[in-house]
Every structure is written in structure tokens, then in C-alpha cells.
Amino acid sequence: MTLSQLVNERATTGTPPNRFRSRNPDDFAVPRGREEEWRFTPVRQVRELFEPFAPTSVMDGSVDAPDGVTWAIVAPDDARVGQVLQPGDRVSALAFSHARQALVLELTGTPERPVLVHGRITPGLAYEHMVIEAKPHARATVVVDYAGSATVAENVEIVVGAGAHLTVVSLQQWDADAVHLSSHAIRLGADATVKHVVVNLTGRLVRIAPTVEFAGRGARAEMLGVGFAGDGHHFESRLYLDHAVPHCTSDVLYKNVLSGESARTVWIGDVRIRPAAAGTSTYEMNRNLLLTDGARADSVPNLEIETGDIIGAGHASATGRFDDLQLFYLQSRGIPFEEAQRLVVRGFLADVVDRIGVPDLQERVMTAIEARLGFTPEVENED
Amino acid sequence: MSTLEIRDLHVTVGEGEETTEILKGVDLTVSSGQTHAIMGPNGSGKSTLAYSIAGHPKYTVVGGSVTLDGADVLAMTVDQRARAGLFLAMQYPVEVPGVSVSNFLRTAVTAVRGEAPKVRHWVKEVNEAMAVLEMDRAFAERSVNEGFSGGEKKRHEILQLELLKPRIAILDETDSGLDVDALRVVSEGVNRYMSTAALDGEGAPGMLLITHYTRILRYIRPDFVHVFFDGRIVESGGSDLADRLEAEGYARFGAAESAHSGVDGAPAHAV
């Protein structure tokens, strides 16, 4: 069975085009698991985050920043907090109202290297809030590297000023019992470009919901996702791209590999093109490769097009097992079956990883993926 | 000195009531230093023969034998066949996203040769082989066959032929979809492989060239020409048989089309 044979294009998710947003947690009922936005999530594992708690942990949040980057830990009433994000669910609203501090990163010019935020955390319950702001015409990259064992409710605000190019990578390499729910709100100014990358390698439950607000003409969003879900991992990505102004572009590519009978991934790709968004170009794709029986990938692309005056809008979703023809081709060149499988899986994910544009990080991610696949480090035979 | 022996080969495709016999008793012997051309109309089973020898999962061998120097090829896995010295240049090479040509070639060569090539020699070897096939170096960083033009795919197949150095090579419609310049470059690559490999003391490789058209035979002269029709070889001869097919087509074997009438390069069916 090939991936392309399983292309599944669905017309609707039942997701309302106008989303309810509020900073008041009580405006959102406690999720029971049947709601459209929670039906794919194992809510029992998240229950602690549905009620207010006294934080018992906080992210290390130390920042390795080159020149051109200023950062600070600020109080929640700082003017820079809450610029973009309006909570869309109860967990986000609770995090918004209970986080005691926020990490604010401000990026100007062209910093010579990526900003690295250490998202290390000690065991416990945590509320987190982060604001990443690229000033107009800045060109910068931020990598947030999550690890440890904790239960985290988080909000991330990403502001990309006019003409700025910002790459944000959220790398999840959590311990096996970590739960991480995060809402990312991205606002793009005129001619701004964001490359937003979610890399899910380990963690019991990682649910990241990026929303993109196109606030100026000519903006562009490239949304990338890479996941390698093993036994006991649930990785969920819920995207919402809201094209409200003319001549913006969005390009979404999420790929997951699932290995292990309790491996789960969920991908929701909602794209709305409002009447004013003439000249929009959007394409979204989700591909999931199932390596073992029992693994399950849910994939729901959804396009709501409210104007015919667009350049293009498309989506594709495919979930399947190995492509027999790819394996045949590699084997026909002498490559043993298991090595051919590893090459295909590695390539399936490298296809997205190669687009991140941060070579050190790409190497780290591919090394972690290769280790999971059982690649042994190559011993070079120099003479 | 190597010999590929095909005896009374019967092959089907499909399952249950959908089963169709495509090969209906093929006999053919290809030895080192020989170039055999198999010619026949579309749908005659030429490509099935090629894929069956390579071990394509779509085809089921229901009778007969294939041996390479006496070893039972049909009992081998696909990768074992390649390591035993068989190579199939495919008509429709498969895209493998995210696997670079350079990584792929190195992995394949390591598997076939039984050890990783020494780095310095390897880079030189690949660059030289690419240069003679008029391939840009940037090609090595692209994903295998992804977004390749028809000509690039065929050059990439012949590049593998040169690096994997098989004892018996099967070229399936390598000429389809190539313009005159690409056909010349690819054919020269094949000829160079056939002549240089002979100098390595292993004896010249044997080749089975599968084609619908005679034009590649202007560049690669066959020692033997076989006409393939309805799942078997119906006539064999020397290279003059190709000239006769060029003039007469396949009509006298009962085919509706002539050698001139097909649309070159258009896939008759995706495999």
C-alpha cells in the first residue's frame, strides 16, 4: 500500500470559523473529551491542567543570546505580554491568568547565530509564558529546547514585525512522563516571514496549537513539523492559519513516523481564507508513516475559502505504511531490507528537517532520529 | 565469466481470479561479453521479464528457473540478487524523498562491494563517473529521483551501473523519454562500462537490453536480437534482425502496432 493510495481529503472538521477566545478560564467548560477540539486528546492525562494549580516547577529558561538580542524575565502585567495571544481553550486561559512571569525576547538586526532558550524543567506542574518579538526587518532564529519531566501549560506569543524574517523552532525531547500543552500565537506584519517548526521526539503527551494571524499584506508563513512517536507518545498538532489580508502565503508540511502499538499522532490543519484575503496562496500537507500495527495517526485538513479571488489553495493528507516500490528500488541496489527501511524512514523525516535551516540543530535532530532507528555511527575507512 | 540462464520462465501478475499469466515460457542465456537486445511491442511482457529477474514484488514466478552461474536467483531476496551481480536499470526509477543521491550511492556500493569505499577514492570515483555522464555535481545532494527529469533519471541509472559494476546488467527501456543528446550520453556510458569493466580481469559484463525501438541499437550494437511477443521469445537472430524490425515492425508477429507508431516515453502502465 502506498501513501498516495491513502490520500484522504475531508471537507469539514466541524471547527467553527469564528473561534471563541477569552482570557477568563471560566468562559471555557472543563473538557470532557468529546468536544471537537479535545476529541483526539487523551484528556485523562491532562486533567491536572484543567483546573488552576499552584505551580511547583518553573522552566530554567536561560537564554544563550548573541548581540542584537535582548531578553528579560518580566511580570505578567508587562505591556509586551498579551500583545497577540487570546486564549482559545481552558488550559491556555488558565496559563495566561496564572503564569507569574514571562520570558520576553526581542530581536533586532541580524544576530550572527540562533538564540537558544533552554526549556529545561524540574519535575512538577508549571505555567509558562514566552514572548518572541522580531522587530521590523530583523532576521533571526530562536530555538527553544524542551527537556525534563514535568506537566506544563504554556503560551507562546510570536510577533514578526514588517519585513522581518523569523525562524522559531520548538524542540520537544521530554522525558517519558512529561505532558506539554502549548498555544502558539503568531502575528505577521506586512511582508514578514515566519518559519515555525515543531519537532516532537519524546514525551508522553505533547499538544501544540499554533495559530497564525496575517496582519499585513505580503506576509508568509512556513509551518513545519517533524514527529517520531514511539510507544507511549501522543503528539498532537493543531494549526489554524487565518488569512484575513491580501497577498499572503502559507505553506504547511508536517510529517510523523509512528513506531509502537501505542504511538499516536494527531494533525489538525485548519486554514481560513476570509473575503478580504484576495491573492492568497496556501498549501498544507500532512504525511504519516506507520511502522507497526496498532499505531494510529489522525489527520484532518480543513480549508474554508470565502473568496474565489485567490492564487491557490490546497491540502493533502496521507497515512500509510512503507512504499513497497521505494524498498524494492533500494534493495535492487543491494541494500538489505532492514537498512532500506531505515533509509526510507530517515529520508521521510529528513525531507522536513532539511528545511529547518539551522545546520547544528538539523544534525542533532537527525542524530536522535538515527539512534532511534538503530543506525550505528559510521566508522570511516580513510585509507 | 558469468552466465545468466533463464529456463521456461512463467510469471503471473495479480491474485485469485485476477491472475494473468504474462510470461509464458521464456528461454534465454546471457553470458559475459554478450549484448542481447529484446525487442517487442508494448504489452508483450518485456518489462515483466526484467522485473521478474530483479525480484519485483508485483510479479509471481509460477514456473521455470533463473540461475546466475548455477546459483538459484529466484531463491534470493531482491538485495541478494544485486549483491550476486545482477543490476536492473529501471524504466521508471522510484523517488525516495530525503535520501540524497550521494548517501544512496555510497550505501549501495558498500552493500554490493561488502565494504565501505575509501573516502578519497570514492569521491574521485563518483565525480569522474558523473562527469562523463555530463551530470552536475549538485546532483549528488538531491533526493533520489525526486523531481528528476526523464533524462536525469536515466543518467542516474547508468551512474549506478558504472559504480555497482554488475556481472549481468539489464537495461529496461533506458532509451524511452530521452532526447538525442541524452540518448548519446547514456549509450556512451553503457558502452564505456561494457568495455572498461572487461579490463578489470573479471571478463566483460553481459547485458540484456530491453527496448521497443531500434534507435538505441545505433549506439549500442547487440550481438543477439530476440523478438518478444505474447510472453515469450518468438524469434532470435543477429543484429540484422533489428534492422528488419526497423523496416517491418512487429506486424508479422500479429501485433497491431509497428515499431514506428508508438508514443515514445509514454508510460504504458505504472508499475
Side-chain angles (χ1 to χ4, degrees):
Chain A
M1 185 175 333
T2 66
L3 288 175
S4 57
Q5 284 169 331
L6 287 165
V7 166
N8 162 29
E9 303 205 358
R10 289 168 66 165
T12 177
T13 61
T15 309
N18 283 312
R19 294 169 182 233
F20 179 73
R21 303 210 171 265
S22 172
R23 290 186 179 181
N24 180 1
D26 292 332
D27 288 343
F28 301 94
V30 173
R32 303 169 69 86
R34 298 232 173 131
E35 302 79 1
E36 177 57 36
E37 62 270 37
W38 291 102
R39 68 187 176 103
F40 293 109
T41 311
V43 291
R44 267 173 303 168
Q45 296 177 23
V46 194
R47 210 145 262 164
E48 281 171 299
L49 298 178
F50 291 157
E51 299 296 341
F53 58 77
T56 54
S57 179
V58 70
M59 204 165 83
D60 162 357
S62 68
V63 178
D64 174 10
D67 291 344
V69 180
T70 57
W71 65 277
I73 307 286
V74 303
D77 61 353
D78 188 282
R80 291 166 290 187
V81 175
Q83 294 180 72
V84 183
L85 191 135
Q86 288 293 335
D89 64 49
R90 185 172 171 89
V91 174
S92 174
L94 285 165
F96 198 94
S97 52
H98 289 85
R100 292 171 187 167
Q101 61 182 44
L103 170 64
V104 176
L105 290 172
E106 292 174 299
L107 312 151
T108 51
T110 306
E112 61 180 11
R113 58 186 164 85
V115 182
L116 187 62
V117 180
H118 291 275
R120 300 291 193 282
I121 199 160
T122 53
L125 286 161
Y127 288 122
E128 297 295 339
H129 197 114
M130 191 173 359
V131 179
I132 300 168
E133 182 171 359
K135 300 293 186 186
H137 306 290
R139 288 180 170 263
T141 296
V142 176
V143 177
V144 189
D145 180 3
Y146 295 91
S149 164
T151 298
V152 184
E154 181 187 51
N155 288 310
V156 177
E157 303 185 69
I158 298 168
V159 187
V160 190
H165 281 63
L166 176 66
T167 296
V168 174
V169 183
S170 186
L171 170 62
Q172 285 67 238
Q173 270 187 298
W174 292 107
D175 289 351
D177 59 349
V179 173
H180 181 199
L181 268 58
S182 188
S183 294
H184 290 204
I186 302 163
R187 178 186 289 155
L188 301 175
D191 298 315
T193 297
V194 72
K195 185 187 288 185
H196 180 271
V197 188
V198 173
V199 182
N200 289 325
L201 295 177
T202 48
R204 185 172 68 170
L205 196 160
V206 178
R207 176 182 142 127
I208 297 180
T211 61
V212 180
E213 175 192 345
F214 293 87
R217 288 170 172 249
R220 178 182 157 80
E222 183 179 2
M223 311 295 287
L224 302 175
V226 176
F228 192 160
D231 256 330
H233 298 156
H234 174 103
F235 297 154
E236 182 166 345
S237 301
R238 311 185 65 90
L239 290 90
Y240 178 42
L241 283 70
D242 187 357
H243 283 273
V245 298
H247 302 295
C248 292
T249 303
S250 54
D251 183 10
V252 178
L253 176 62
Y254 268 65
K255 283 187 169 186
N256 292 307
V257 169
L258 296 89
S259 177
E261 68 175 52
S262 64
R264 296 284 181 276
T265 65
V266 179
W267 179 83
I268 310 294
D270 290 340
V271 176
R272 183 178 187 193
I273 304 172
R274 294 184 191 248
T280 292
S281 173
T282 179
Y283 192 76
E284 51 173 359
M285 181 185 287
N286 171 229
R287 289 188 178 276
N288 304 301
L289 181 57
L290 305 172
L291 303 187
T292 52
D293 287 340
R296 173 174 167 153
D298 287 290
S299 181
V300 188
N302 180 35
L303 256 173
E304 289 162 25
I305 306 175
E306 296 167 45
T307 172
D309 185 15
I310 58 172
I311 293 171
H315 60 192
S317 161
T319 298
R321 297 202 180 238
F322 278 111
D323 182 331
D324 288 341
L325 292 184
Q326 288 181 350
L327 295 177
F328 169 69
Y329 187 75
L330 296 173
Q331 279 187 276
S332 77
R333 272 51 179 150
I335 300 170
F337 182 68
E338 289 189 354
E339 193 173 358
Q341 285 188 324
R342 286 198 297 264
L343 271 182
V344 168
V345 175
R346 187 195 175 282
F348 179 83
L349 295 177
D351 190 37
V352 187
V353 173
D354 287 348
R355 281 173 60 177
I356 297 175
V358 185
D360 291 357
L361 179 80
Q362 288 171 205
E363 201 179 317
R364 260 183 73 196
V365 170
M366 289 316 300
T367 300
I369 289 168
E370 286 166 4
R372 291 267 290 278
L373 290 171
F375 276 90
T376 45
E378 191 174 346
V379 179
E380 283 294 351
N381 177 3
E382 267 307 329
D383 298 300
Chain B
M1 183 74 187
S2 290
T3 302
L4 178 72
E5 262 194 79
I6 302 161
R7 288 289 165 264
D8 195 27
L9 188 66
H10 291 256
V11 170
T12 62
V13 66
E15 287 173 11
E17 292 183 4
E18 304 285 301
T19 305
T20 308
E21 189 174 38
I22 311 270
L23 298 188
K24 301 170 180 174
V26 179
D27 288 288
L28 181 65
T29 303
V30 180
S31 294
S32 294
Q34 298 175 346
T35 297
H36 293 249
I38 287 193
M39 302 191 65
N42 286 333
S44 59
K46 308 185 298 290
S47 289
T48 299
L49 175 63
Y51 279 121
S52 300
I53 297 167
H56 193 289
K58 180 178 162 186
Y59 301 101
T60 308
V61 175
V62 292
S65 65
V66 178
T67 58
L68 180 63
D69 299 333
D72 183 0
V73 170
L74 300 178
M76 299 178 192
T77 60
V78 174
D79 48 302
Q80 285 169 340
R81 298 178 196 205
R83 294 198 297 276
L86 292 172
F87 177 83
L88 169 62
M90 296 190 199
Q91 185 178 4
Y92 304 112
V94 182
E95 295 184 1
V96 192
V99 177
S100 71
V101 167
S102 67
N103 185 19
F104 163 66
L105 293 175
R106 195 173 155 76
T107 306
V109 164
T110 300
V112 167
R113 295 184 191 170
E115 61 176 3
K118 288 155 188 161
V119 174
R120 269 183 295 124
H121 299 159
W122 170 244
V123 172
K124 188 162 169 271
E125 188 181 356
V126 174
N127 286 344
E128 283 177 2
M130 286 177 65
V132 293
L133 287 166
E134 298 178 19
M135 297 167 82
D136 191 273
R137 279 199 196 177
F139 194 86
E141 299 315 312
R142 293 170 65 185
S143 290
V144 170
N145 293 318
E146 194 178 45
F148 287 14
S149 68
E152 286 173 333
K153 284 182 179 167
K154 297 302 169 71
R155 285 171 208 233
H156 182 226
E157 295 293 287
I158 302 309
L159 177 65
Q160 295 168 55
L161 170 75
E162 297 210 9
L163 295 171
L164 296 174
K165 304 195 189 317
R167 294 149 70 191
I168 304 287
I170 304 165
L171 272 57
D172 185 17
E173 309 254 2
T174 293
D175 49 338
S176 72
L178 294 185
D179 62 27
V180 174
D181 288 334
L183 179 62
R184 176 187 53 79
V185 169
V186 162
S187 301
E188 285 173 3
V190 172
N191 287 332
R192 193 174 41 254
Y193 172 65
M194 294 295 283
S195 57
T196 56
L199 301 174
D200 290 347
E202 292 277 321
M207 179 158 54
L208 185 57
L209 191 66
I210 291 172
T211 181
H212 184 99
Y213 297 91
T214 54
R215 62 180 195 148
I216 195 172
L217 304 182
R218 290 180 212 133
Y219 298 90
I220 304 172
R221 289 306 288 181
D223 304 303
F224 306 95
V225 173
H226 310 277
V227 180
F228 212 79
F229 190 78
D230 193 25
R232 57 171 75 88
I233 290 169
V234 293
E235 188 170 336
S236 296
S239 64
D240 53 320
L241 179 54
D243 300 331
R244 195 173 161 202
L245 290 170
E246 169 84 11
E248 298 175 5
Y250 298 111
R252 70 188 164 96
F253 303 101
E257 58 174 342
S258 76
H260 302 283
S261 64
V263 179
D264 197 4
H269 64 289
V271 289

